[in-house]
Amino acid sequence: MADERVHAYADDALGEHDAVALAALVRAGEVAPGELAAAAAARAGRVDAALAPVAFAAYGRPCGEGGSGKDAPLYGVPSYLKDNTDLRGMPTGQGSSAFRARPARRSAGFAEQFLGTGLAVLGKSRLPEFGLNASTEYAEARPVRNPWRTSHSPGASSGGAAALVASGVVPIAHANDGGGSIRIPAACCGLVGLKPTRGRMVPNAQGRRLPVDLVTDGVLTRSVRDTAAFFAAAERHHRNPALPPLGLVEGPGERRLRIGLVVDSPTAPTDAPTRAAVEETAARLAALGHDVTPVELPFGEEFSRDFILYWGYIAFLIATTGRLTVDPGFRASRLDGLTTGLRRVFHREFTRVPGVVRRLRRAEQTYAGMFRTHDVILSPVLAHVPPPIGYLSPNVAFDELLDRLTRYVAFTPVNNVTGGPGIALPVGASPEGLPIGVHLSAAHGEERALLELAFALEADRPWRRIQD
């Protein structure tokens, strides 16, 4: 395939608007939800051959169209749900060939929360098998490609959602994050991706069954205000009283913050383009009046080893309980090379799991300790720029693939284990034009600080546009 930039922007009902602007047009009667859905469906058709982002389409009968009522903040804005979340009447394929997906009989709690914001679901976006990979690639099926350069990965596991938003098919799409799966594709595709504090959203059905719940739901967007608007709308449907209310964040904050700067992970070096983007962002934040000082992450090799074994434990659960938890026709023999390799990791070291769980649970206190001296931590999202398609394919020999993944995904899992919030922002680009993201982390419940900083950085230097 030719290496090209692909987008679907056109002179149609969607135009170049973000979700907040489209919802305002719907409320004013200037456009109907059906017109927006039709425009999004046409755009999806134009990018499908190049990007392959859609797992299931329901363009003739979108779910919702603001089903919570016309007063919902994002009423009528078209979107997609990730294909690991049940929505009644749509199949949930989990990105896997190990079973045949059937229409879900009921909607997951988060799907109801998502529809409660007013978004209209046009279908499901693709993910790698059970969301375990950091690239949306498959043993046999065609991969999802990055709209900025189709020879490269869009990240994962919300890679299909990222490709849809980055290419302009829709302004906002569901994503979820069990090791970086909101923030990684945001960084790869030039988007905003906030992983909220654990417990901020309706509990994820997959994550809450685990001894350490890694998974949190959210969205990918092209503007900070769309991310802020979504979380404010979602909070109207469900608010966790154990966390500070978030409300609607509408711009930069006035408070000057203590920001800790991390350039390298204790387990992997950062490449030159990513390092430059992080250091430039640190300089910009200092120029905006914040106090930026270097810090070291208190998570090293042991944390990385523990996370890998816990990752293997999840693969083991999928493989051994799939007929009960996924589908009666589930066949573990059809799982891809990454899932089966991770399962073998668990088999080799399963006696370590109780100690791993204890240490991972204690990591929450270690994480909280970082914010006794700092308000926010700035770091890379990933240790290097998005790799070419094939580099993280599940067909790569497992030991090599695992090494590549651990050297690439060197920052984001900390927030999943500890439950802290983190946001990826599209601040830079490689010499080849691939997006580079930076990562901001804060104390539990402090999403407002992250969004206010994000607004400030976006106002200081607007994000690159794929259509320019």
Side-chain angles (χ1 to χ4, degrees):
M1 171 175 285
D3 186 10
E4 57 183 343
R5 184 182 293 192
V6 172
H7 71 78
Y9 286 99
D11 183 15
D12 57 17
L14 292 167
E16 297 188 355
H17 299 299
D18 67 1
V20 170
L22 290 173
L25 291 174
V26 171
R27 283 193 298 274
E30 296 182 30
V31 66
E35 293 176 83
L36 298 181
R43 290 186 178 196
R46 289 199 294 274
V47 304
D48 180 71
L51 304 179
V54 177
F56 176 80
Y59 299 143
R61 46 184 175 82
C63 182
E65 285 198 1
S68 61
K70 292 186 178 182
D71 63 336
L74 298 175
Y75 171 72
V77 176
S79 188
Y80 289 79
L81 201 67
K82 187 173 172 180
D83 194 28
N84 63 356
T85 301
D86 285 346
L87 184 61
R88 188 168 64 87
M90 292 189 189
T92 303
Q94 297 282 0
S96 180
S97 298
F99 68 102
R100 188 179 69 180
R102 310 167 194 269
R105 295 181 179 179
R106 60 183 62 85
S107 296
F110 175 79
E112 297 288 354
Q113 185 176 24
F114 191 76
L115 290 174
T117 68
L119 293 167
V121 175
L122 304 185
K124 297 287 196 74
S125 63
R126 293 177 78 201
L127 72 155
E129 185 167 83
F130 290 99
L132 294 174
N133 204 344
S135 186
T136 309
E137 301 183 49
Y138 307 90
E140 298 175 355
R142 60 181 179 148
V144 179
R145 295 179 180 272
N146 192 319
W148 289 87
R149 288 195 73 174
T150 55
S151 60
H152 282 65
S153 170
S157 64
S158 308
L164 287 162
V165 176
S167 65
V169 173
V170 290
I172 184 170
H174 168 225
N176 48 32
D177 195 315
S181 297
I182 294 172
R183 294 157 291 154
I184 292 168
C188 291
C189 292
L191 302 174
V192 176
L194 171 63
K195 186 209 84 70
T197 302
R198 181 162 50 216
R200 175 70 72 184
M201 310 301 282
V202 171
N204 183 281
Q206 290 92 352
R208 66 187 173 191
R209 292 195 292 260
L210 297 171
V212 179
D213 184 357
L214 303 178
V215 186
T216 308
D217 289 280
V219 290
L220 291 165
T221 70
R222 298 191 296 264
S223 68
V224 177
R225 75 171 184 170
D226 273 4
T227 294
F230 172 81
F231 279 95
E235 192 172 56
R236 293 184 5 160
H237 178 89
H238 165 83
R239 190 180 88 72
N240 184 345
L243 294 173
L246 180 56
L248 179 60
V249 182
E250 298 185 88
E254 297 182 359
R255 188 164 57 115
R256 293 301 170 255
L257 302 174
R258 302 165 299 168
I259 299 176
L261 171 62
V262 175
V263 178
D264 290 303
S265 160
T267 60
T270 299
D271 72 0
T274 304
R275 177 184 296 272
V278 174
E279 291 176 341
E280 182 184 33
T281 303
R284 289 171 60 196
L285 289 169
L288 290 170
H290 301 288
D291 180 22
V292 183
T293 56
V295 297
E296 291 187 7
L297 288 176
F299 302 97
E301 292 285 352
E302 183 179 62
F303 177 88
S304 180
R305 289 193 300 271
D306 285 349
F307 186 82
I308 290 168
L309 182 52
Y310 194 73
W311 196 11
Y313 169 64
I314 293 170
F316 164 78
L317 290 178
I318 291 167
T320 55
T321 69
R323 289 189 177 182
L324 296 175
T325 61
V326 179
D327 186 88
F330 180 91
R331 294 168 58 193
S333 61
R334 292 187 58 82
L335 292 168
D336 71 22
L338 176 60
T339 308
T340 55
L342 288 170
R343 182 187 183 186
R344 288 197 301 271
V345 168
F346 171 81
H347 283 154
R348 286 198 304 264
E349 303 184 59
F350 71 92
T351 57
R352 290 183 50 229
V353 168
V356 164
V357 169
R358 285 195 300 272
R359 287 191 295 274
L360 293 181
R361 286 174 171 168
R362 287 200 302 264
E364 184 171 342
Q365 284 68 50
T366 304
Y367 179 88
M370 294 194 296
F371 300 100
R372 287 195 283 268
T373 54
H374 293 84
D375 302 301
V376 168
I377 302 296
L378 166 66
S379 75
V381 178
L382 295 157
H384 60 76
V385 298
I389 294 291
Y391 181 78
L392 297 177
S393 166
N395 294 324
V396 171
F398 175 74
D399 289 344
E400 178 64 23
L401 177 57
L402 184 62
D403 180 63
R404 291 177 180 183
L405 283 167
T406 53
R407 286 188 286 111
Y408 181 47
V409 184
F411 296 92
T412 54
V414 166
N415 297 71
N416 299 93
V417 170
T418 64
I423 191 168
L425 299 174
V427 300
S430 73
E432 299 78 23
L434 285 162
I436 296 175
V438 298
H439 190 261
L440 299 172
S441 299
H444 297 84
E446 292 297 323
E447 289 93 335
R448 174 171 286 271
L450 298 180
L451 288 167
E452 288 175 346
L453 274 182
F455 269 115
L457 287 168
E458 186 180 35
D460 178 59
R461 186 182 303 167
W463 318 135
R464 288 195 309 154
R465 300 180 349 140
I466 198 170
Q467 63 269 45
D468 290 342

